[in-house]
Amino acid sequence: MVANRTQTSFHHPRFILILLLLLIILALNRSSLLSSRLAILPQHFASLAPATILASTPSTMSYRKELRVAKLAVQRAAILTQRVFHEKAKGTLSKDDKSPVTVGDFGAQALIIHAIRRNFPTDEIVGEEEASSLREDKSLADQIWGFVSSTSLNDPASEEQIGGPIRSQREMLQAIDEGQSPGGSRGRIWALDPIDGTKGFLRGGQYAVCLALIEDGHVKVGVLACPNLPVDDSAPLSADVGDENGEGRGVMFSAVLGSGAKSRPLGRGALETGQPILMRDVPDITQATFCESVEAGHSSHGDQAEIAKKLGITRQSVRMDSQAKYGSIARGAGDLYLRLPVRADYQEKIWDHAAGDLIVREAGGHVTDVEGRRLDFSLGRTLKENKGVVATPKAVHEQVLEAVKSVLSSK
Ligand SMILES: Nc1ncnc2c1ncn2[C@@H]1O[C@H](COP(=O)(O)OS(=O)(=O)O)[C@@H](OP(=O)(O)O)[C@H]1O
Ligand SMILES: [Mg+2]
Ligand SMILES: [Mg+2]
Ligand SMILES: [Mg+2]
């Protein structure tokens, strides 16, 4: 009798259904579609029935939570960088590659990583900075802690959503050090540049706080805070950062793959929805405005001038630091962003491009390297298979790329 009942229960339709569901989940997990959610299965298996997991799939695919957390985390970090921006002493160190890093870079990285860890504990993070130098420099660590421990969003509910405050200096240093993922082609990886354009930040120019979610090598969510760009999307593109107190300045750009790009004022409290942005049509390439790096060592001004000449562009280029260049062309304040390699051995970093690449593409643009290859974020911490960047509205990309190739091949 007992044996008979056991046999019946194995053939029960409900059992077969559960088995089928488990098989589907396993298959999806292998294809990494639900990798982040399922990676935490062992911890939560008891509380997560298969039906619950499947029910959460649509929101995972829309990246609603990821976008919200990224926007709030970047917003809070930008409050910190704005405070440091107005300080005379910015606690600057020189890194091994001779590039600068400040109290603002470290503090912003700590706050953003804290928010990611609290919301997506199994995701990986590729962050630009690390804390080894701070463990030997107590006074600099204290200075950073002073900013980190006193920076929060005005809206307590939003602050709570990004994990609330960091509790101790030790926890802050640990957070900074959690950006050491090697990156790669599998799973969910956040690319974080706490201050992009640190040199711009130091000279009182443009800079950006940048965060992107890369899933299986593709950028899915991108957020850029540009505290020194005009709020107004229709303001003419200028290298000028405006007045001392930053009136009318501070914009956040964001995008989710397949859902378009948006901009909104960079506020201090709860999130506003923002408005869609689009690249400008360029019916006549000779009338285009292009932007380029300030640092001649990061991007060849000479080659860029030759390309502009070849295209018949007479307007002066606008030089600005950071991914503010991507944001500016995405909202149609400028048209083209050219970054031509200066040193053959330099590999661009994924955190310098991931958010901007998605925001421009979602605003109707096309982004490639100087040979026309899409930027490949699946190869580790750097874009080792790409050289330079050519970002333009889709309709003129081929024309601009032709000019780029022709100038570079004549070298
Ligand atoms: N040699 C070389 N070639 C190309 N790029 C380089 C090079 N060296 C550094 N970097 C990276 O450039 C980032 C800032 O460059 P930008 O062009 O956006 O701004 S700038 O005008 O150069 O300041 C800068 O980002 P931050 O370090 O976040 O400021 C660097 O990651
Ligand atoms: Mg740097
Ligand atoms: Mg950078
Ligand atoms: Mg940086």
Side-chain angles (χ1 to χ4, degrees):
M1 276 291 277
V2 174
N4 208 0
R5 244 202 326 263
T6 313
Q7 206 177 18
T8 317
S9 73
F10 273 107
H11 287 94
H12 194 282
R14 202 186 301 162
F15 178 80
I16 293 169
L17 194 70
I18 289 172
L19 201 68
L20 262 173
L21 275 172
L22 280 171
L23 281 172
I24 290 168
I25 288 162
L26 270 174
L28 285 173
N29 195 22
R30 282 192 77 106
S31 75
S32 295
L33 204 57
L34 292 175
S35 56
S36 73
R37 288 290 152 96
L38 293 172
I40 57 172
L41 259 182
Q43 291 143 269
H44 299 288
F45 198 77
S47 59
L48 285 179
T52 324
I53 301 165
L54 288 180
S56 73
T57 307
S59 80
T60 313
M61 300 313 290
S62 73
Y63 300 99
R64 202 178 301 154
K65 182 178 175 192
E66 287 80 353
L67 178 66
R68 183 165 179 82
V69 169
K71 282 162 95 173
L72 289 173
V74 165
Q75 182 173 356
R76 178 170 67 179
I79 294 170
L80 182 146
T81 63
Q82 281 166 296
R83 290 174 62 202
V84 178
F85 185 80
H86 293 292
E87 293 279 317
K88 230 192 181 104
K90 297 184 174 61
T92 312
L93 289 181
S94 183
K95 296 198 277 189
D96 291 346
D97 65 358
K98 305 274 183 289
S99 68
V101 58
T102 73
V103 163
D105 303 58
F106 288 122
Q109 175 146 328
L111 285 175
I112 292 176
I113 290 184
H114 177 68
I116 297 171
R117 275 282 159 266
R118 287 299 168 99
N119 282 281
F120 309 109
T122 59
D123 288 1
E124 292 194 26
I125 304 167
V126 171
E128 180 182 357
E129 312 303 346
E130 47 91 24
S132 59
S133 50
L134 303 178
R135 296 183 198 280
E136 289 144 30
D137 189 338
K138 176 87 174 88
S139 108
L140 191 60
D142 286 345
Q143 208 185 335
I144 300 163
W145 177 239
F147 283 100
V148 167
S149 58
S150 59
T151 299
S152 64
L153 295 172
N154 277 357
D155 175 43
S158 301
E159 175 70 21
E160 194 51 40
Q161 281 175 33
I162 48 172
I166 296 179
R167 284 185 300 258
S168 65
Q169 199 173 128
R170 204 172 129 256
E171 199 177 294
M172 174 187 86
L173 295 178
Q174 268 170 3
I176 294 171
D177 267 341
E178 284 190 54
Q180 297 309 302
S181 161
S185 62
R186 304 290 279 167
R188 288 168 43 113
I189 299 164
W190 294 85
L192 164 63
D193 194 340
I195 291 186
D196 181 35
T198 307
K199 287 183 179 164
F201 179 75
L202 286 167
R203 75 167 91 81
Q206 294 298 339
Y207 73 96
V209 179
C210 317
L211 182 63
L213 173 63
I214 300 166
E215 196 170 44
D216 296 337
H218 300 284
V219 190
K220 298 295 173 75
V221 178
V223 175
L224 290 179
C226 301
N228 290 335
L229 277 184
V231 174
D232 183 3
D233 287 333
S234 59
L237 188 62
S238 154
D240 185 17
V241 300
D243 59 8
E244 277 275 288
N245 59 21
E247 266 318 292
R249 311 246 136 208
V251 61
M252 176 180 282
F253 301 104
S254 61
V256 172
L257 185 68
S259 303
K262 285 183 172 177
S263 80
R264 69 168 188 91
L266 183 58
R268 292 181 66 91
L271 289 178
E272 299 157 46
T273 330
Q275 56 178 32
I277 50 170
L278 280 177
M279 293 192 85
R280 202 159 51 185
D281 277 338
V282 186
D284 175 3
I285 196 77
T286 67
Q287 298 307 305
T289 300
F290 81 90
C291 30
E292 58 184 357
S293 293
V294 175
E295 296 286 320
H298 292 181
S299 182
S300 168
H301 292 161
D303 290 345
Q304 277 142 210
E306 261 188 68
I307 291 159
K309 197 166 159 211
K310 200 162 195 72
L311 291 165
I313 298 173
T314 50
R315 206 168 280 160
Q316 191 69 37
S317 71
V318 178
R319 288 182 184 165
M320 57 169 72
D321 311 87
S322 83
Q323 291 185 59
K325 295 185 275 291
Y326 281 110
S328 295
I329 65 166
R331 65 170 165 176
D335 303 300
L336 320 172
Y337 167 22
L338 300 181
R339 188 179 185 90
L340 299 194
V342 177
R343 281 172 28 197
D345 61 341
Y346 184 76
Q347 294 184 359
E348 296 284 349
K349 309 296 186 290
I350 63 170
W351 56 77
D352 282 327
H353 301 281
D357 170 80
L358 181 68
I359 290 165
V360 164
R361 288 187 294 111
E362 285 297 318
H366 192 45
V367 184
T368 69
D369 70 0
V370 295
E371 276 159 20
R373 290 179 294 232
R374 280 277 304 278
L375 304 189
D376 187 346
F377 294 95
S378 73
L379 302 171
R381 290 173 69 89
T382 67
L383 297 169
K384 57 175 168 236
E385 293 298 328
N386 295 116
K387 284 284 167 232
V389 176
V390 179
T392 76
K394 259 191 206 130
V396 297
H397 191 272
E398 220 176 286
Q399 188 182 3
V400 175
L401 190 64
E402 225 167 83
V404 169
K405 283 181 174 169
S406 128
V407 166
L408 293 188
S409 65
S410 68
K411 302 272 139 191

